[in-house]
Amino acid sequence: MTSQEPNQLIEVEHQSASAGELIPVIMRLLRTFRYRKKVILATIYCFGLAGVVFYLLAPRYYQSSAKLLIVEQKLDQISTVGDYDNTANTMATHRELVTSPRVIKQAIEILDPKHRVDLVNQPPRRWVEIITSRLTARVTRKTNLIEVAYSSRHPEAASAIVDAIIQSYLQFVDENHKGTASDIITILTEERNQLQETLNGRQSELQEFRRRVGHLGITPDDGIVEPMIQRAIHLNEALLIAQEKRLELQATLVSVETSLANGEDISQQLMSIEATLGRQILLSSMGLSSQDMQVLSEQQKKLLAVEEELQSLSSEYGPNHPRITELQQQSKTLQQYLSNYHSGAGQRFDAIGKSVPGKVIVDMLRQSFRQAQQKEKQLRDSFELARSEAAAHSDALVKLRMLERDVTRKEAFYDSLSNKIANFDISQVQAPIKATVVSEPLPNDKPISPQLRLVVFVSLIGGTFVGCLIVYVRDILDDRFTSPEELSSQLGVSILAMVRKLDQLPGEGLATIHTHAIPSSVEAEAFRTLRTSISLSGEVCDRILISSSEPGDGKTTISANLSVALAQAGNRTLLIDADLRKPGFTALANLKGIPGVADILASDHPPEVTAPPLIQKTEVQGLDVLPVGLRRPNPSELLSGKAFAELLAWADSKYDRIIVDCPPVLAVSDAHIVGQVVDAAILVVRPEKNHRRSVMRAAESFQAAGCRLLGVVLNGLSNEASEYGYGYGYGYGYGYGDDYGHEEESDAQIAVDFQAALDFDQNKLVPRQTATNADAPYPLSKASPEPIRPRRAA
């Protein structure tokens, strides 16, 4: 894996997380739109009504149009409609010309007064502006067509104005071309005359400069070097040869003088003297003449000829052939002669070294050295002079080339101007642009405005957009749930019960719990409704977590009253205070400082050993509580350990219902941790206190943690409707008197009937026999509206 792959994976995960967070927001917004669909429909209705009024009262406009074919005339080829060279620029230019103020003004002048219906009661200075506002000109894509259209309240006026504008445009193009062609010819002629004068002056200057520099008319393309430059090159080569000869003489002189001073034999230096003093001097000293050298040369040539003939005949004849033998004899004789000559020359040369005095040789070398120095000096002076002349001549040649190029450029420009003038003279009768009307403007009795389909479309789109905008703005500004139905719709869960504001009861402990202190009150009936909702949920809900989105929502009050209601129904109930940070029920029951949940979770022993001694009995039959215990610094770590899951498993084997009171879900992560080991969660909401977004985040956090949200309990409702639309609003058609137990038993029988109805054979669609106290699969409590569940193994 490369170093970039982890970064790419992180980026992909981040994008996936962002998409996952965006989907709930979109779904919530869609639910909001669906819930407030009446507002959107009302807005669409208003827009539709406004559209109907507009369509009925808006003035009718009629449009007439015509099409122009624009063809660009070219001087060097036949013009066709398919030519697209510069077509875009040409078409755009003429489209602007059609709607230009000058063309429109001229069209108004030629327009019949009876067709000026759109200009009635308007000042003349605004006529061009009015026509322009209703005039359109557009280029049909990939064509040379310009469509000109005008909208008016009268069909005849619209066609007349389009016709007048086209006539004005054609007249403008024709007049503009003729005047422009004449002006262009005059300008080009003046420019050509000025160029002619300048060209004559430059040509005269070029001729004079050629004469002054002695230019031979050689161009770089001829491949010939200028004589002055060639002379400097030759002198430079001669100077280099003279310098080499002078250096050789100087070296030979120093060597001979050194040998004579040391008394050494100078015969070895004579080999180099031959090239230095001259061939004739040494030949004379050895007693040889030019005739001897000629004879020697002839003998060498003869030897070469004999050997060449011998080599050519050897491939044809054998070695004993007379001619082969003769040629071999001649070659041997000539080689002997030349060998004797060279031996004698060598002896004479050695003799020269011994017979010629050393002083004579030194004088000859010094004289030759002085002559070489004098020749080198003369060549150097001549080279410097030739180089200076060649440099000056090169500068003159550069200037000459510049003059020639300038004259050539001006001559080409002059010829171009002459051609343009000639072409204008030939084509003056031919306009550069040919405009042809291919579609005449005709009156159209069908109005183009208002259009019914456009009005309907705008009404629907505008009404939908404005309606959604109103709903969205209202949703942003009013961050409260306005009704139980809205809360249930946006959260996607049911409302289990609605609890009114509970008055604080005197006393302490269970005496302050309404379901225990005043079980016949309307307030207590709300918790029995909650108990029934849980029992009829159709799913296993033995371990229930109760939490809220924020502190102060009444989760502890709901937990305590629900636990008492469950115990009153004959369920063995255990209330666990799992709010290890700010325990509410422990304080309510006066159990502070007593070991409890935190001690069980922090113990090294299993919960089935440590939990039983810490269970606190209550005065309510069937209700036990487990306080929070001594405070610990790490509540999240304690709850996330396996000890809490084992504690719930042990409690599940001993009790029918387990209620876990947890901290607010948005405040800390404890409720998320506990939610993973319970059957379901109940969210307590105070509509007048909780913000919509916080409640929705709380519900979404339960789902993200993998905990099933069973429903919502609305707490703290008033007797009358509040500003948010909430009120208790639920009365009862009977009261509680002395025969309360009888009514409770009847209510229990109704609950049993509901339970039997839910226990339905879905495969055969046949209801099972209704359970009674006698034939129930497990015993029923006499005062209980629901069956008592058997204990499950841990």
Side-chain angles (χ1 to χ4, degrees):
M1 179 180 290
T2 61
S3 60
Q4 295 180 352
E5 290 182 358
N7 297 332
Q8 294 176 353
L9 293 176
I10 293 174
E11 183 177 356
V12 170
E13 292 177 356
H14 179 69
Q15 293 176 354
S16 301
S18 301
E21 295 175 357
L22 184 62
I23 291 176
V25 174
I26 296 176
M27 296 302 297
R28 185 189 69 81
L29 191 61
L30 292 177
R31 288 195 298 268
T32 303
F33 290 156
R34 185 182 63 180
Y35 178 75
R36 300 188 184 275
K37 59 184 177 182
K38 294 182 179 180
V39 176
I40 300 176
L41 293 176
T43 308
I44 295 175
Y45 175 77
C46 293
F47 267 76
L49 186 61
V52 171
V53 173
F54 171 78
Y55 183 78
L56 295 177
L57 301 180
R60 266 53 178 169
Y61 285 92
Y62 303 88
Q63 187 180 74
S64 180
S65 62
K67 289 185 178 180
L68 289 171
L69 175 62
I70 307 298
V71 179
E72 186 177 2
Q73 304 289 347
K74 300 184 179 180
L75 303 179
D76 54 347
Q77 62 185 22
I78 300 176
S79 300
T80 63
V81 179
D83 292 335
Y84 292 108
D85 300 340
N86 261 342
T87 299
N89 295 335
T90 301
M91 299 301 293
T93 302
H94 286 268
R95 180 193 60 196
E96 296 297 328
L97 284 177
V98 170
T99 59
S100 63
R102 181 174 177 180
V103 171
I104 295 176
K105 185 176 181 180
Q106 189 174 357
I108 295 174
E109 294 176 357
I110 64 177
L111 185 64
D112 194 335
K114 69 177 181 180
H115 293 141
R116 298 180 183 178
V117 293
D118 296 329
L119 306 178
V120 177
N121 300 327
Q122 296 292 337
R125 57 185 176 81
R126 296 194 64 245
W127 286 0
V128 174
E129 179 183 352
I130 294 172
I131 297 296
T132 304
S133 63
R134 301 180 182 181
L135 179 66
T136 59
R138 64 183 186 89
V139 179
T140 306
R141 188 171 179 267
K142 292 186 178 181
T143 65
N144 287 28
L145 296 175
I146 296 179
E147 182 180 3
V148 183
Y150 181 79
S151 301
S152 175
R153 294 187 179 184
H154 298 275
E156 294 79 7
S159 61
I161 291 176
V162 172
D163 185 65
I165 288 175
I166 291 177
Q167 293 180 15
S168 175
Y169 162 74
L170 295 176
Q171 184 179 353
F172 171 79
V173 171
D174 185 56
E175 293 175 355
N176 184 68
H177 164 65
K178 290 181 179 180
T180 302
S182 178
D183 294 340
I184 291 176
I185 290 176
T186 303
I187 295 173
L188 292 179
T189 303
E190 293 178 357
E191 187 175 359
R192 185 183 64 176
N193 294 337
Q194 294 177 0
L195 182 62
Q196 178 68 45
E197 296 178 1
T198 305
L199 181 60
N200 292 336
R202 299 297 284 179
Q203 288 176 343
S204 300
E205 183 180 356
L206 177 61
Q207 293 175 359
E208 177 63 23
F209 192 78
R210 282 177 176 174
R211 184 189 59 77
R212 188 169 63 251
V213 301
H215 185 57
L216 300 179
I218 300 175
T219 61
D221 297 336
D222 297 335
I224 301 175
V225 183
E226 287 284 340
M228 288 187 177
I229 299 176
Q230 189 173 10
R231 178 171 172 270
I233 294 174
H234 290 166
L235 287 175
N236 184 45
E237 293 176 353
L239 177 61
L240 292 176
I241 294 173
Q243 288 176 347
E244 291 178 359
K245 185 174 181 181
R246 189 256 305 167
L247 292 174
E248 290 177 359
L249 287 172
Q250 185 178 2
T252 303
L253 177 60
V254 172
S255 177
V256 171
E257 287 179 348
T258 302
S259 298
L260 291 175
N262 296 333
E264 298 175 355
D265 187 9
I266 64 173
S267 58
Q268 299 295 329
Q269 284 79 7
L270 293 180
M271 298 298 296
S272 60
I273 294 176
E274 186 272 335
T276 306
L277 299 181
R279 186 179 182 86
Q280 294 296 330
I281 297 176
L282 289 180
L283 289 177
S284 299
S285 300
M286 291 187 297
L288 298 175
S289 62
S290 58
Q291 290 78 10
D292 296 333
M293 296 303 296
Q294 184 176 2
V295 172
L296 182 61
S297 178
E298 292 177 354
Q299 294 299 323
Q300 289 177 345
K301 291 180 180 179
K302 187 176 180 180
L303 177 60
L304 291 176
V306 170
E307 290 181 351
E308 183 178 357
E309 183 180 1
L310 178 61
Q311 185 176 2
S312 62
L313 294 177
S314 297
S315 60
E316 300 179 2
Y317 304 103
N320 297 325
H321 192 273
R323 182 58 181 167
I324 295 299
T325 303
E326 182 182 357
L327 290 175
Q328 290 177 348
Q329 186 62 35
Q330 290 179 5
S331 175
K332 184 175 181 182
T333 303
L334 290 173
Q335 289 178 356
Q336 184 65 33
Y337 172 78
L338 292 175
S339 177
N340 294 334
Y341 170 78
H342 287 303
S343 298
Q347 293 175 1
R348 288 192 298 273
F349 186 79
D350 294 338
I352 289 174
K354 297 177 181 179
S355 59
V356 178
K359 186 175 181 304
V360 175
I361 295 175
V362 171
D363 292 341
M364 293 173 61
L365 290 173
R366 288 177 178 174
Q367 182 179 2
S368 298
F369 178 70
R370 286 193 295 270
Q371 292 175 356
Q373 284 182 328
Q374 185 66 26
K375 183 177 181 181
E376 180 183 356
K377 183 177 180 302
Q378 292 176 355
L379 289 174
R380 182 177 290 106
D381 295 341
S382 300
F383 171 70
E384 294 295 335
L385 179 61
R387 185 173 64 178
S388 301
E389 293 176 352
H393 189 67
S394 297
D395 294 339
L397 289 177
V398 172
K399 185 176 180 181
L400 179 63
R401 299 286 185 268
M402 293 174 62
L403 284 173
E404 289 176 347
R405 286 194 295 269
D406 188 29
V407 170
T408 303
R409 185 170 57 252
K410 292 184 181 300
E411 288 176 348
F413 189 32
Y414 180 83
D415 295 338
S416 176
L417 289 178
S418 300
N419 293 333
K420 286 184 178 180
I421 294 173
N423 291 334
F424 264 99
D425 289 340
I426 295 172
S427 62
Q428 183 152 2
V429 296
Q430 183 182 9
I433 295 296
K434 182 180 179 182
T436 306
V437 180
V438 296
S439 178
E440 296 288 344
L442 299 175
N444 186 6
D445 296 333
K446 185 178 180 181
I448 64 164
S449 175
Q451 297 181 6
L452 181 60
R453 287 182 297 180
L454 182 60
V455 171
V456 172
F457 178 77
V458 172
S459 299
L460 289 176
I461 297 300
T464 304
F465 176 76
V466 174
C468 292
L469 183 62
I470 293 174
V471 171
Y472 178 74
V473 172
R474 184 176 178 181
D475 183 72
I476 293 296
L477 298 180
D478 184 12
D479 195 19
R480 294 287 195 279
F481 292 106
T482 58
S483 67
E485 291 76 13
E486 179 186 3
L487 187 148
S488 177
S489 174
Q490 294 199 13
L491 294 185
V493 295
S494 60
I495 297 177
L496 302 178
M498 294 191 295
V499 181
R500 64 190 303 175
K501 288 184 179 179
L502 301 178
D503 298 330
Q504 186 173 1
L505 299 178
E508 60 182 12
L510 295 181
T512 60
I513 299 177
H514 287 70
T515 52
H516 175 66
I518 45 177
S520 61
S521 64
V522 176
E523 291 85 352
E525 185 62 29
F527 295 102
R528 283 190 285 272
T529 302
L530 174 59
R531 178 189 67 192
T532 304
S533 299
I534 296 173
S535 300
L536 301 180
S537 62
E539 299 182 11
V540 177
C541 297
D542 295 341
R543 297 178 289 187
I544 301 175
L545 178 152
I546 298 180
S547 180
S548 61
S549 60
E550 302 171 1
D553 292 340
K555 63 176 182 60
T556 301
T557 301
I558 301 299
S559 301
N561 281 277
L562 176 60
S563 299
V564 173
L566 290 172
Q568 289 175 348
N571 291 285
R572 289 168 297 175
T573 305
L574 175 64
L575 174 58
I576 300 176
D577 190 356
D579 192 349
L580 305 184
R581 304 171 188 270
K582 192 177 180 181
F585 183 78
T586 300
L588 177 67
N590 294 325
L591 297 176
K592 286 186 176 181
I594 298 177
V597 175
D599 304 277
I600 295 173
L601 301 181
S603 175
D604 296 333
H605 300 285
E608 57 267 21
V609 177
T610 57
L614 302 182
I615 297 296
Q616 304 294 323
K617 299 290 183 178
T618 65
E619 55 190 85
V620 178
Q621 184 179 0
L623 175 63
D624 295 341
V625 297
L626 182 61
V628 71
L630 301 180
R631 180 168 296 185
R632 294 292 193 278
N634 55 343
S636 297
E637 289 76 6
L638 292 177
L639 293 174
S640 60
K642 65 178 182 178
F644 188 77
E646 294 175 353
L647 172 63
L648 291 182
W650 170 82
D652 203 13
S653 65
K654 303 294 182 180
Y655 295 91
D656 300 320
R657 300 284 188 178
I658 302 170
I659 305 299
V660 182
D661 184 16
C662 286
V665 65
L666 296 182
V668 291
S669 62
D670 297 359
H672 299 150
I673 298 172
V674 176
Q676 297 177 354
V677 293
V678 297
D679 297 329
I682 295 177
L683 184 64
V684 179
V685 178
R686 294 181 69 94
E688 296 183 3
K689 171 180 176 293
N690 297 133
H691 293 273
R692 180 193 299 109
R693 290 177 179 79
S694 62
V695 175
M696 297 185 69
R697 283 199 300 269
E700 292 169 357
S701 65
F702 275 123
Q703 297 175 0
C707 177
R708 179 170 64 92
L709 183 60
L710 182 62
V712 176
V713 174
L714 301 182
N715 188 28
L717 302 182
S718 61
N719 293 333
E720 298 179 356
S722 67
E723 58 178 328
Y724 299 104
Y726 281 95
Y728 195 79
Y730 290 89
Y732 295 89
Y734 58 92
Y736 293 98
D738 297 335
D739 55 346
Y740 172 74
H742 176 73
E743 293 292 333
E744 179 73 35
E745 185 171 350
S746 300
D747 190 29
Q749 183 62 40
I750 293 173
V752 172
D753 292 340
F754 273 118
Q755 181 67 28
L758 289 175
D759 193 7
F760 197 79
D761 191 345
Q762 298 293 337
N763 295 327
K764 299 182 180 179
L765 297 179
V766 177
R768 297 177 181 174
Q769 185 178 359
T770 303
T772 62
N773 291 341
D775 56 2
Y778 38 81
L780 298 174
S781 172
K782 181 177 182 180
S784 173
E786 62 178 4
I788 301 175
R789 291 170 173 78
R791 298 178 182 176
R792 295 183 298 178

